[in-house]
Amino acid sequence: QVQLVQSGAEVKKPGASVKVSCKASGYIFTSYYLHWVRQAPGQGLEWMGIISPNGGSTSYSQKFHGRVTMTRDTSTSTVYMELSSLTSEDTAVYYCAREPSDGAHVWFDPWGQGTLVRVSS
Amino acid sequence: DIQMTQSPSSLSASVGDRVTITCRASHSTSNYLNWYQQKPGKAPKVLIYATSSLHSGVPSRFSGSGSGTDFTLTISNLQPEDSATYFCQQTYNTPYTFGQGTKLEI
């Protein structure tokens, strides 16, 4: 079955960087875009950006521009999201999600299980 | 960015009831509107995509409607397992913004 498995929880100090991985299985990795979405504790969902596993092209939310980098490794069917210059406001669960399409519309399915990133001194 | 506003923020209903959650966009999103269900400690799951298309495996008591800036998610014959938080999402353009969520208590 289609599955996205993310790396484990992280604790980072302010100013540090974090790199979260998302390993895809059960489908052709290069056939679907992948997104990153985060959710601060008790808060809503915030879209961070998208990566094309086929060519590696990316598009980031302006909010994270300059701080976020999304990459992929086709040999392991894994995408990565690195966020730098962390502050306490980056404490959140980070999700990857695949983007199916009906040719016009897109949605996110499935989602990874989430990775908690806690930023604390 | 397109702002998505959901109402109500929370609601309580009983088994067998019918509830409606509203999502309003700050600009037209045509029919590029999805609905997700999230249970505590779990990742969201898609219920409805393209405003009214039911995702595979989702019970038919879930339905969606709307266009432009106003959309609704309706859950009929509420079941205990429908207790969750529901989010709308526009995919008309990036950034793909979400509503703030509606917490449904059964």
Side-chain angles (χ1 to χ4, degrees):
Chain A
Q1 75 282 20
V2 177
Q3 201 172 5
L4 299 174
V5 178
Q6 298 182 222
S7 49
E10 304 260 15
V11 179
K12 295 292 182 181
K13 294 194 181 302
S17 298
V18 68
K19 192 171 186 177
V20 180
S21 68
C22 169
K23 183 175 176 60
S25 62
Y27 71 97
I28 299 173
F29 176 65
T30 52
S31 295
Y32 294 84
Y33 291 104
L34 282 159
H35 297 256
W36 288 92
V37 176
R38 78 177 186 179
Q39 186 172 36
Q43 301 300 308
L45 300 163
E46 183 172 36
W47 182 82
M48 299 180 69
I50 179 176
I51 182 168
S52 167
N54 190 18
S57 61
T58 56
S59 178
Y60 303 137
S61 168
Q62 197 64 30
K63 177 174 179 176
F64 302 100
H65 236 286
R67 283 211 300 142
V68 69
T69 304
M70 297 178 188
T71 57
R72 97 289 189 216
D73 181 346
T74 56
S75 68
T76 60
S77 299
T78 302
V79 295
Y80 300 90
M81 186 284 299
E82 184 170 20
L83 189 63
S84 62
S85 303
L86 293 169
T87 73
S88 58
E89 295 189 352
D90 294 314
T91 293
V93 175
Y94 290 76
Y95 294 101
C96 59
R98 190 184 73 153
E99 179 197 279
S101 172
D102 62 3
H105 306 89
V106 303
W107 59 96
F108 293 0
D109 178 65
W111 296 55
Q113 83 277 18
T115 297
L116 174 63
V117 175
R118 185 157 24 124
V119 183
S120 173
S121 55
Chain B
D1 298 0
I2 297 177
Q3 308 302 317
M4 307 300 290
T5 304
Q6 287 182 234
S7 60
S9 298
S10 63
L11 75 158
S12 181
S14 300
V15 173
D17 283 355
R18 177 185 183 191
V19 299
T20 297
I21 298 170
T22 297
C23 181
R24 174 162 288 176
S26 61
H27 303 281
S28 175
T29 65
S30 184
N31 66 342
Y32 293 78
L33 193 286
N34 306 321
W35 289 96
Y36 298 87
Q37 177 193 67
Q38 185 179 35
K39 296 186 177 181
K42 300 294 187 180
K45 291 184 177 181
V46 63
L47 299 171
I48 303 280
Y49 63 93
T51 299
S52 59
S53 295
L54 194 66
H55 188 256
S56 175
V58 175
S60 59
R61 62 178 182 273
F62 291 90
S63 63
S65 64
S67 68
T69 60
D70 294 306
F71 302 89
T72 59
L73 171 70
T74 300
I75 313 171
S76 303
N77 187 24
L78 275 173
Q79 298 299 303
E81 60 266 29
D82 298 335
S83 182
T85 300
Y86 295 84
F87 294 94
C88 61
Q89 176 203 31
Q90 65 82 19
T91 54
Y92 184 71
N93 58 24
T94 57
Y96 290 160
T97 44
F98 295 85
Q100 81 280 14
T102 295
K103 186 173 184 178
L104 172 61
E105 180 183 279
I106 308 297

